[in-house]
Amino acid sequence: MNLTKRSVGVVLSVTGFTALGLGVPTAAADVTRVDANPGLSYTWTPDGGFEQRFGTNCIYALTAAVDNPAPVSFYDFQTASTVLPGHLARVIDGTATVAWIPHATGGHRIMAYQTSAGGPDVTVQVGTGIPLGPACFVLP
């Protein structure tokens, strides 16, 4: 193989720029959105009819949208809750999902994050729930 000075210069330049590009730190990945899904959880009032609500002791899905595959931590600032399979969830196709069971009524602020800086949060109101298999009835 016959390399000229110009060919060697191009190869070294491309290699140098590639090395510089790989050495540049990327921005820290964070959770871009967190959602709590009430699923088949309803309350009924004469004024409003059936409305979706969260209830105690019923199972809900918490989902976090992310921009990198690092595991996601979920945290409920209301200590009376359970996050399954634990506070750390695997990312699949840009989302991490866990099961969440609130055990106390009132406001629950739920945060999802990949770094210690924290991430977005969602606050949901939880009423007294009556689990009915995959569904939940929430007392008015």
Side-chain angles (χ1 to χ4, degrees), residues 2-90:
N2 192 4
L3 293 176
T4 64
K5 283 185 178 181
R6 184 169 190 235
S7 299
V8 172
V10 169
V11 170
L12 290 176
S13 295
V14 170
T15 304
F17 284 123
T18 303
L20 284 174
L22 294 176
V24 175
T26 58
D30 286 322
V31 174
T32 57
R33 188 183 75 246
V34 63
D35 295 306
N37 185 345
L40 298 173
S41 185
Y42 294 94
T43 189
W44 186 86
T45 61
D47 297 336
F50 284 101
E51 297 174 358
Q52 282 189 304
R53 290 222 17 228
F54 294 91
T56 54
N57 303 311
C58 297
I59 301 173
Y60 302 101
L62 299 179
T63 304
V66 299
D67 58 8
N68 103 12
V72 175
S73 295
F74 289 85
Y75 186 76
D76 182 352
F77 288 90
Q78 167 69 271
T79 58
S81 68
T82 303
V83 176
L84 301 170
H87 291 280
L88 199 58
R90 232 177 71 186

Side-chain angles (χ1 to χ4, degrees), residues 73-129:
S73 295
F74 289 85
Y75 186 76
D76 182 352
F77 288 90
Q78 167 69 271
T79 58
S81 68
T82 303
V83 176
L84 301 170
H87 291 280
L88 199 58
R90 232 177 71 186
V91 173
I92 299 172
D93 293 330
T95 60
T97 303
V98 295
W100 171 63
I101 305 168
H103 298 296
T105 60
H108 287 255
R109 181 176 163 234
I110 301 159
M111 179 180 283
Y113 53 94
Q114 287 180 306
T115 65
S116 60
D121 60 20
V122 63
T123 300
V124 297
Q125 291 298 316
V126 176
T128 302

